[in-house]
Amino acid sequence: MSAVATPVSPMLVRLAAEKATGALLRDHGTLYLVDGRVVHAESPAAPGVDVLLTTGGRLPREGWDEAVDRAGAHRAVGRFLVDSGRLHDGELEICHLGAVFDAAFFALSPTSGPTRFRYGVGHWFGTVRPVSAEAVERETVRRRELLDAVWPYASVDTAPVVPRPAAPGQSVGGRQRALLAAADGERTPAELARLLGRPAFHTLLDIRRLAAAGLVETPLEPESAPPAPAPLAAPQVTDPDIALLRRLRDALEAHL
């Protein structure tokens, strides 16, 4: 990886350089590496690939359960979904990469807890499209900066989403209307993402846009809270994963 002044995760940088294989455990999620490249990610804050596929209507729940039952022990769930005709290769790749970058964004969020690496640990889903750790860090930085550019109040990311009345003539797109319709004043962004079968980051982005438009309440920040850290500067590098990230963003925006 190219040198970065302040890496999102110094341990991830080191593991990538070592070409390590295993699971990187952090407070808010886990990244799975094979030969130093990220092949899977999970976070309690982000819907898994199962939710994106089943709640989104692309795959019946029983089809997912069968794939896990029959191929999970062999770490080949993704391969089974394609070989059994349930998904096309391209569909699986886009959905899985969306879930990986989504979960990685939260897993790599600032933490005060310990970061651990368990060598040799794999994930039952299997490898679909490995991504460089550098690309994961770069995309995490881009997403942090994008959220703050839209509405620099992180309190809306975890608080229950409370809709506000629209001003005369004010309107939103269909995706945001569905989000507002599901917001009951009690569900958090993470809960709304699971309910709607959408990536959590894109849900946060919509909520910040709605908050900026005055259509969602922005909770007051505690006065004693320390100032938010400045966004990390994205490294200027040339990487073949850039084209992949662009493809992924285009596909996600077309289907959300």
Side-chain angles (χ1 to χ4, degrees), residues 223-238:
E223 292 184 6
S224 60
L232 298 173
Q236 300 299 312
V237 296
T238 300

Side-chain angles (χ1 to χ4, degrees), residues 174-246:
R175 188 177 70 233
Q176 292 178 340
R177 280 198 302 273
L179 185 56
L180 287 171
D184 58 1
E186 297 182 0
R187 295 187 180 107
T188 63
E191 291 169 337
L192 288 169
R194 285 188 175 81
L195 177 68
L196 298 172
R198 298 178 181 177
F201 170 77
H202 290 81
T203 302
L204 291 187
L205 189 58
D206 274 336
I207 289 170
R208 290 218 194 187
R209 285 172 174 157
L210 289 167
L215 295 172
V216 163
E217 294 280 357
T218 298
L220 293 175
E221 300 279 359
E223 292 184 6
S224 60
L232 298 173
Q236 300 299 312
V237 296
T238 300
D239 190 293
D241 288 314
I242 290 176
L244 172 64
L245 288 170
R246 287 174 179 161

Side-chain angles (χ1 to χ4, degrees), residues 6-256:
T6 309
V8 174
S9 169
M11 183 176 285
L12 179 59
V13 173
R14 177 173 62 79
L15 293 168
E18 291 178 3
K19 300 187 181 302
T21 295
L24 177 63
L25 288 78
R26 291 170 58 90
D27 276 359
H28 305 296
T30 302
L31 273 65
Y32 293 85
L33 280 67
V34 172
D35 295 331
R37 295 172 69 83
V38 178
V39 296
H40 196 75
E42 294 178 327
S43 171
V49 66
D50 60 328
V51 175
L52 298 180
L53 286 171
T54 59
T55 304
R58 180 58 190 84
L59 184 70
R61 186 74 212 189
E62 55 270 22
W64 171 266
D65 291 340
E66 181 188 4
V68 174
D69 289 343
R70 296 182 60 178
H74 305 291
R75 298 181 183 174
V77 171
R79 191 72 259 157
F80 180 88
L81 290 170
V82 172
D83 291 345
S84 63
R86 287 170 172 79
L87 293 176
H88 298 299
D89 269 316
E91 287 181 295
L92 176 65
E93 182 178 303
I94 290 299
C95 184
H96 183 252
L97 282 171
V100 167
F101 282 111
D102 199 38
F105 172 76
F106 297 97
L108 293 175
S109 61
T111 177
S112 59
T115 299
R116 304 176 302 280
F117 188 71
R118 296 176 60 191
Y119 284 92
V121 173
H123 192 274
W124 47 262
F125 191 83
T127 298
V128 176
R129 173 65 150 80
V131 184
S132 71
E134 183 176 47
V136 172
E137 286 222 342
R138 186 167 60 250
E139 180 65 4
T140 297
V141 169
R142 186 193 73 86
R143 293 184 178 205
R144 288 182 188 175
E145 293 176 341
L146 179 57
L147 286 176
D148 285 340
V150 169
W151 190 241
Y153 298 94
S155 57
V156 301
D157 294 349
T158 53
V161 180
V162 180
R164 297 180 62 188
Q170 191 176 20
S171 62
V172 297
R175 188 177 70 233
Q176 292 178 340
R177 280 198 302 273
L179 185 56
L180 287 171
D184 58 1
E186 297 182 0
R187 295 187 180 107
T188 63
E191 291 169 337
L192 288 169
R194 285 188 175 81
L195 177 68
L196 298 172
R198 298 178 181 177
F201 170 77
H202 290 81
T203 302
L204 291 187
L205 189 58
D206 274 336
I207 289 170
R208 290 218 194 187
R209 285 172 174 157
L210 289 167
L215 295 172
V216 163
E217 294 280 357
T218 298
L220 293 175
E221 300 279 359
E223 292 184 6
S224 60
L232 298 173
Q236 300 299 312
V237 296
T238 300
D239 190 293
D241 288 314
I242 290 176
L244 172 64
L245 288 170
R246 287 174 179 161
R247 265 183 62 213
L248 176 60
R249 289 200 291 271
D250 290 345
L252 287 171
E253 289 169 3
H255 288 87
L256 288 175

